[in-house]
Amino acid sequence: MPDSRRHDDTVTPGDAGRGAWKSKLGFILAASGSAIGLGNLVFFASNAYQFGGGAFYFPYLIALFVLGLPVMVLEFATGTMTRRSLPMALRRLVGARGEYVGWWSLSSALFITMYYITILGWALCMMVGALGGLFAPGATAPFTPFESPSEGPNATAYFFGLIVTYWPLLAVVTVWAATVWALSRGTETIERVVRVCVPLMWLFMIVLIIRGVTLPGGVDGVLFLFTPAVDGILDVSVWKGAFSQMFFSLSLGLGTMTAYASYLPKNADHVNNSLLVSFMNCGFEYLAGIAIFAMLFAFSLNPVGGTLSLSFFVIPQGIAAFPFWVKAFGFMFFLLVVLAGLTSAISLVEGMTSALVDKLRVSRAKALAMVATPGVIGSVMTALPFVVDPDLGGNGTFGLNLLDILDHWAFGYSLLTVGFLECLLLGWVLGASRLRAAINEHSKFQLGAWFDVQIKFVVPALLLTVIVLNLWTDLSNAFSGAAYGATYPLAWANWLPTVVPVVWLGGTLIVAYVFTNRPTPDEPEGVAVATKF
Ligand code: PHE
């Protein structure tokens, strides 16, 4: 394989052995595999449903062009220009402040990875359960894979039966093991995994969509998803939801896209890559939406409850009503969730791993161990089966409560805040026009001056508005005594809604401080390097 870096005159000591994608296809598969994940299958449909179907897709499409695409171009360019993952990439471009933002982003990514993998672990259990008791009549607690209880199928009971057992712990450890294996040889093993998983995901999605829209009444669901609703478009919360969902879905703000782009040759076309990855992601998302809404309408299902309910309870219920091949379709649906989630988890962990390799100059194995050790502990904690509320208030178990609160804070603030800071630093400190000139050098589609306006003003203003609105809601709840989270019969569990955000915010700020202040031997210093591209 020719190494495109050999001929480059800006090679620095830390570049050696970082790895490189074998081909552009490898990169596109990996980046789209990162983008397509639980966000597309689990969260998009429930957001779209919650915000009224047709009311959601219009703001979502706007969010793609106004926010998603420019930030993706920015994150790709940052990685390729510096051949570094987010913290060191930002350090080279804008100095130590940038590195601080990078580590803060990655330490938040660690928290998000913890529960992301737990949800994947549950999906893995449901996948195994699909062959066993999930679609058997009367699937209820306790969870016993391959055993058939006696009454009508009930995925909700099955899921709550599942999470009060220790099986999910085994599942999360399995998912972590698979993730670590996939990263063991960097780009080489990642490429091997995505070459199999990503095409399979598309295939399963196509099968599901055909099944969905050919169900009697299925087309009504598709119409619901695509009929514009004017009231919703005027609702601020719909826009807030669309912006957050877009960031998460495109894997922005958590250092993953920068890490993946750092393995590209210097002449990569970032505009073209961003268009490809984001259109594949949003295309997949709409296809998933069509399949899921077709099923909802065909079987008159009503998704009530949290975000997980749609894919974990309602879809299996729909599949159980299929006239044939119920187990096969159920298995395939959860296998699809597992594959999509796995390729995203791999990218999340790679963002952190490569950052540690870049900063500490440690081996990949050591960096992986540094990420996976706290990661597995966190995933196990969010999968813990202890019941804190037998009435399922706040979802019942310790693990699910922890997950819910962590998701609210880590997910609710980190991605958008990082996006906001990236735009400020790159747009103002480095200079949007300078960055644009560097991107345009290798891009067929030339970005105009509008790109500068977008990066310097539009994107930060929109993101800041969403962050402030979210903060306003959370703070006014906190001051009125209603902290985020449920009230549990067990007194100690009531500390969770306070302890979790403090641990997350305190922990991430400390990690960012410690890493930023640690010198990296032979790394060229900060802003000066930026003049070279
Ligand atoms: N985009 C992924 C999804 O839709 C989640 C993700 C976010 C992955 C950020 C990596 C980084 O599920």
Side-chain angles (χ1 to χ4, degrees):
M1 172 194 56
D3 184 358
S4 49
R5 284 159 196 187
R6 229 177 339 180
H7 309 293
D8 200 289
D9 54 358
T10 57
V11 171
T12 54
D15 291 354
R18 287 189 82 255
W21 300 111
K22 280 207 187 90
S23 61
K24 175 168 167 160
L25 178 70
F27 167 73
I28 294 293
L29 287 175
S32 65
S34 165
I36 300 171
L38 298 179
N40 304 55
L41 287 161
V42 181
F43 309 136
F44 173 76
S46 61
N47 268 325
Y49 188 88
Q50 183 193 336
F51 294 121
F56 192 70
Y57 82 81
F58 179 69
Y60 197 62
L61 211 61
I62 301 283
L64 170 63
F65 287 99
V66 176
L67 292 179
L69 270 167
V71 176
M72 189 180 276
V73 171
L74 215 65
E75 294 202 350
F76 279 164
T78 316
T80 309
M81 281 168 184
T82 58
R83 286 197 198 105
R84 291 289 180 275
S85 296
L86 193 61
M88 295 313 270
L90 289 177
R91 182 179 193 108
R92 285 186 160 199
L93 296 175
V94 296
R97 272 179 296 182
E99 185 179 352
Y100 193 88
V101 172
W103 288 116
W104 187 70
S105 156
L106 292 185
S107 39
S108 290
L110 178 61
F111 280 101
I112 292 176
T113 310
M114 289 171 179
Y115 69 80
Y116 196 88
I117 287 190
T118 298
I119 300 177
L120 262 180
W122 288 330
L124 185 64
C125 291
M126 298 291 272
M127 183 185 95
V128 175
L131 296 179
L134 174 57
F135 295 108
T140 48
F143 172 68
T144 39
F146 307 117
E147 226 170 79
S148 308
S150 54
E151 301 146 40
N154 182 343
T156 314
Y158 190 85
F159 177 79
F160 284 107
L162 165 74
I163 65 169
V164 295
T165 70
Y166 285 93
W167 286 104
L169 265 53
L170 183 66
V172 298
V173 174
T174 310
V175 176
W176 264 106
T179 307
V180 168
W181 179 81
L183 292 170
S184 55
R185 285 164 172 270
T187 43
E188 191 191 318
T189 31
I190 301 175
E191 236 173 306
R192 255 200 263 166
V193 173
V194 294
R195 271 173 193 269
V196 176
C197 292
V198 176
L200 265 184
M201 271 150 52
W202 282 94
L203 179 73
F204 291 161
M205 192 70 245
I206 290 166
V207 173
L208 268 184
I209 212 170
I210 295 176
R211 180 68 281 225
V213 294
T214 51
L215 288 166
V219 176
D220 296 338
V222 183
L223 290 178
F224 175 75
L225 185 61
F226 288 107
T227 308
V230 183
D231 311 355
I233 292 172
L234 300 175
D235 183 347
V236 179
S237 63
V238 177
W239 289 88
K240 260 174 44 181
F243 288 179
S244 310
Q245 170 68 23
M246 179 54 71
F247 247 70
F248 186 73
S249 189
L250 291 181
S251 301
L252 302 175
L254 294 178
T256 51
M257 289 310 189
T258 301
Y260 273 4
S262 73
Y263 304 127
L264 279 173
K266 287 258 174 178
N267 62 0
D269 181 340
H270 299 302
V271 179
N272 181 273
N273 286 341
S274 302
L275 285 169
L276 271 173
V277 172
S278 59
F279 285 174
M280 280 168 87
N281 177 67
C282 295
F284 193 96
E285 208 149 44
Y286 277 119
L287 287 183
I290 292 174
I292 291 172
F293 276 77
M295 234 180 277
L296 286 184
F297 276 67
F299 299 115
S300 317
L301 300 170
N302 181 21
V304 281
T307 351
L308 293 185
S309 62
L310 199 67
S311 42
F312 279 82
F313 316 153
V314 183
I315 300 307
Q317 205 181 320
I319 291 175
F322 282 1
F324 53 85
W325 293 349
V326 168
K327 285 190 175 186
F329 274 113
F331 179 81
M332 197 186 72
F333 173 73
F334 282 109
L335 177 59
L336 170 59
V337 176
V338 169
L339 293 180
L342 186 66
T343 49
S344 301
I346 290 171
S347 73
L348 274 162
V349 178
E350 175 59 14
M352 299 176 261
T353 306
S354 61
L356 291 175
V357 172
D358 287 345
K359 175 78 187 181
L360 307 175
R361 303 272 199 263
V362 290
S363 67
R364 169 161 281 272
K366 194 160 178 199
L368 261 173
M370 288 173 72
V371 178
T373 309
V376 171
I377 295 174
S379 296
V380 163
M381 282 179 72
T382 46
L384 281 179
F386 308 121
V387 175
V388 288
D389 188 347
D391 297 330
L392 293 184
N395 295 321
T397 64
F398 173 82
L400 192 45
N401 275 293
L402 188 63
L403 186 152
D404 199 28
I405 300 170
L406 203 52
D407 176 60
H408 177 82
W409 293 99
F411 168 76
Y413 291 98
S414 52
L415 288 75
L416 299 183
T417 308
V418 171
F420 169 71
L421 295 172
E422 276 174 351
C423 287
L424 287 192
L425 289 171
L426 295 170
W428 292 92
V429 179
L430 178 67
S433 53
R434 231 170 121 201
L435 190 67
R436 178 165 58 91
I439 295 168
N440 277 344
E441 234 176 88
H442 304 294
S443 166
K444 273 191 226 77
F445 177 88
Q446 296 287 298
L447 298 171
W450 50 266
F451 182 78
D452 302 0
V453 178
Q454 228 169 334
I455 294 300
K456 288 171 89 164
F457 302 100
V458 181
V459 179
L462 287 173
L463 292 180
L464 186 65
T465 311
V466 177
I467 296 164
V468 170
L469 286 174
N470 285 346
L471 209 55
W472 175 260
T473 316
D474 277 326
L475 289 181
S476 41
N477 282 344
F479 285 119
S480 66
Y484 180 79
T487 321
Y488 316 102
L490 286 179
W492 61 267
N494 286 315
W495 285 97
L496 278 178
T498 319
V499 171
V500 173
V502 172
V503 169
W504 161 67
L505 192 61
T508 49
L509 290 175
I510 292 171
V511 169
Y513 180 81
V514 170
F515 275 97
T516 308
N517 286 304
R518 217 191 131 103
T520 304
D522 62 33
E523 182 75 358
E525 235 341 280
V527 192
V529 180
T531 52
K532 282 202 184 159
F533 58 73

